[in-house]
Amino acid sequence: PGPPPPGVPVVWVDRALEMSVGKAAAQVGHGVMVLIAEMDRDRLERWIDGGLPVAVREADPARWRDLSATVSARAPG
C-alpha cells in the first residue's frame, strides 16, 4: 500500500510468520492496545481527535531485524 502517512502510528507484521489474515488481524489489534497503553495522555487525545488512524505494514526479515533492534534499544518511533 505504499509508505504510511506521516504521523500515523504503524503496526508492523512479521511477514516470515506467514499468519492467516485472521491471525494477523488479531495480532494487529493486540499491537494497537499496546500502543494505546504506551502513549502519553496528550498524544492519545490528539490521536483520538484525529480519528484514530493506524497503518499496518508487513516487514521483510531485514526490516523486522531493524525494527526489533529499535525496540530492544528503547528508541522512540
Side-chain angles (χ1 to χ4, degrees):
V8 171
V10 180
V11 176
W12 291 92
V13 176
D14 183 355
R15 180 184 300 167
L17 296 177
E18 299 181 1
M19 291 183 276
S20 68
V21 172
K23 179 65 176 174
Q27 294 303 312
V28 167
H30 294 305
V32 171
M33 295 306 295
V34 171
L35 172 67
I36 290 168
E38 293 295 320
M39 278 187 180
D40 65 52
R41 186 67 185 189
D42 290 337
R43 183 173 179 203
L44 177 58
E45 288 179 9
R46 286 192 311 271
W47 190 44
I48 292 168
D49 290 344
L52 304 167
V54 65
V56 178
R57 298 294 185 271
E58 285 186 320
D60 61 29
R63 178 72 171 143
W64 191 256
R65 279 190 302 276
D66 291 344
L67 291 165
S68 296
T70 299
V71 169
S72 293
R74 296 189 170 267

